[in-house]
Amino acid sequence: ALRLLEQGNKAGAELARELGIRRNQLYKWRREVQLRGQDGAFKGPGRNAAKENVSELTALKKRVARLEEENAILKKADVDSSCQCNSSIHSLFGRPEI
């Protein structure tokens, strides 16, 4: 967008309309490049943030799977077929008061 603006073939308003952005946004971007230079402008997390998000998502999925497995084990251990509390649960949490 900035290269097209700098070429000067079209007015900023016309270019902004074609690109579907506000005209003043083009000028803000141009000012940012003038102040910080081509390499310093628009510094953001970029691809590194995406990689961090993927690794965090993977870790969270593993944690959810582990917790679901633990939950299933605890549900099975909680009540046996005769509706009596399993003794292994009592050793962990104590006998319930009935």
Side-chain angles (χ1 to χ4, degrees), residues 1-12 15 30:
L2 291 178
R3 281 190 218 125
L4 293 172
L5 182 65
E6 294 303 317
Q7 287 175 356
N9 296 334
K10 296 181 182 178
L15 184 60
R30 182 171 67 182

Side-chain angles (χ1 to χ4, degrees), residues 14-87:
E14 182 182 357
L15 184 60
R17 251 190 322 277
E18 288 178 6
L19 296 173
I21 59 175
R22 294 183 324 271
R23 179 185 54 124
N24 66 338
Q25 188 65 54
L26 282 173
Y27 296 108
K28 285 181 182 180
W29 289 342
R30 182 171 67 182
R31 181 78 176 138
E32 183 78 13
V33 170
Q34 289 171 345
L35 289 173
R36 300 177 195 261
Q38 196 72 8
D39 294 332
F42 314 117
K43 285 277 188 184
R47 293 180 188 229
N48 291 336
K51 287 179 184 178
E52 290 173 12
N53 288 341
V54 169
S55 62
E56 182 181 8
L57 181 61
T58 302
L60 289 172
K61 284 182 178 182
K62 286 180 182 179
R63 183 172 182 206
V64 166
R66 183 179 49 82
L67 291 172
E68 286 175 342
E69 184 180 341
E70 289 176 8
N71 194 23
I73 291 169
L74 289 173
K75 282 181 180 180
K76 287 179 185 178
D78 189 26
V79 178
D80 63 17
S81 61
S82 64
C83 294
Q84 297 291 322
C85 286
N86 190 325
S87 61

Side-chain angles (χ1 to χ4, degrees), residues 74 88-96:
L74 289 173
S88 63
I89 294 296
H90 293 307
S91 66
L92 290 173
F93 302 107
R95 286 209 176 270

